[in-house]
Amino acid sequence: MKLSSATLVGLVALIFFVVLPFIVSDWVAADFGIYFAYALFAVSLCFVWGHAGLLSLGHAVYFGIGAYAMSLVTLGMVPGLPELHSTWVGLAAAIVLSTVAAAVVGWFFFANRGLKGAFLGIVTVALAVIVERLAINSSYLGGMNGLMSVPPITLGLNGDGPEIYDPLPIYYIGLTLLAVAIAAMMRVSASRFGVSLAALRENELRLWTLGHDVAKLKIAAFALSGGLAGLAGAFFVVQFGFAAPSLIGFSLSADVLIWVALGGRNALIAAALGAVAVRFLESRLSNLMGATWPLVLGMVFMASVIFFPKGIFGELIDRLDRWRDRANG
């Protein structure tokens, strides 16, 4: 069976990241563990935006819900269950709550109102700002400071087993989560449901006239994307050790939009590589450039939109496609 160019690029990237810890220091590997959480977040936005054509400018809401859900469970702050500290329950809560939240938001946006395009983007921005303010004003969620001292991944059923601190295991857990998520979402994209979402992106009216329930498709895409973003938030918070309102607001939503646009929103692996590349460059260049780094990133973003509308890695995949077609034809 002939593999797609995106799959080939993904396999090459996977081999590279499997080998990477053997040629870099432990602290660099620790950084990449966090980058993989961001990459997982970028994949969630790429799916709903690039594949389904639904631009969510407040996608950090679901990332933040996942981060706070994991924090509340592992810190023993679930009302009525003070003895509960399980990482596994926290992970399940992060996925379920972010999925449900995205489904409810999707229902509100699409069930009767049918928001689309710029109107959808504006409303999702407003949602992110509102939820961030709610988190800042909530003493239960730690207010402006957020929730601190979140435990790392604990293997016991209720937070009583071995804790995973070492960068190398965290690195490979993150890489595995990312690889499995990309493979699963590529499978979903190629399914009948995924083909319907692609048709939704290309021509919503035609899809509706063919008898498809457009609203249900949009809600399902939002829910699936939100659950994946919640998983990313949960994995992020067990590494960073805190959940803050900034994880749920517009700033992070804008960041992930840039990662996906720079990487390429037409391929999940391109979006993931875009997130890793931008975060890696930021960690290396921000100290050198100081306050000018956001300006440089903005200029790179504008140049990418103009010269690489498919994204940098997306353009690479597209050119590889054309080269393989010429070689085979």
Side-chain angles (χ1 to χ4, degrees), residues 281-305:
L281 290 174
E282 181 178 3
S283 69
R284 297 299 178 272
L285 299 179
S286 58
N287 289 334
L288 295 175
M289 296 182 177
T292 62
W293 163 248
L295 177 61
V296 172
L297 179 60
M299 293 174 64
V300 171
F301 174 69
M302 289 188 292
S304 174
V305 170

Side-chain angles (χ1 to χ4, degrees), residues 205-212:
L205 179 59
R206 180 178 296 176
L207 188 66
W208 179 76
T209 57
L210 291 174
H212 291 267

Side-chain angles (χ1 to χ4, degrees), residues 110-250:
F110 306 124
N112 296 313
R113 297 157 185 81
L115 291 175
K116 63 181 68 174
F119 295 103
L120 174 62
I122 292 169
V123 174
T124 54
V125 168
L127 176 67
V129 173
I130 291 170
V131 176
E132 183 178 16
R133 295 306 306 176
L134 289 174
I136 289 173
N137 292 316
S138 171
S139 58
Y140 176 61
L141 298 180
M144 177 68 76
N145 295 325
L147 300 175
M148 311 296 290
S149 302
V150 178
I153 296 174
T154 307
L155 298 180
L157 293 179
N158 193 32
D160 51 2
E163 296 180 337
I164 301 180
Y165 283 103
D166 293 338
L168 198 59
I170 291 291
Y171 178 96
Y172 283 113
I173 290 172
L175 180 59
T176 301
L177 280 176
L178 180 60
V180 170
I182 291 175
M185 298 307 287
M186 289 177 69
R187 187 71 178 268
V188 170
S189 299
S191 68
R192 184 175 180 179
F193 168 67
V195 171
S196 297
L197 291 180
L200 172 69
R201 178 193 67 218
E202 297 299 326
N203 195 319
E204 179 179 333
L205 179 59
R206 180 178 296 176
L207 188 66
W208 179 76
T209 57
L210 291 174
H212 291 267
D213 192 326
V214 172
K216 285 186 177 179
L217 286 172
K218 291 181 178 181
I219 294 169
F222 242 66
L224 184 57
S225 176
L228 191 57
L231 172 62
F235 182 60
F236 172 87
V237 80
V238 295
Q239 296 180 76
F240 237 64
F242 76 92
S246 59
L247 298 182
I248 211 166
F250 174 69

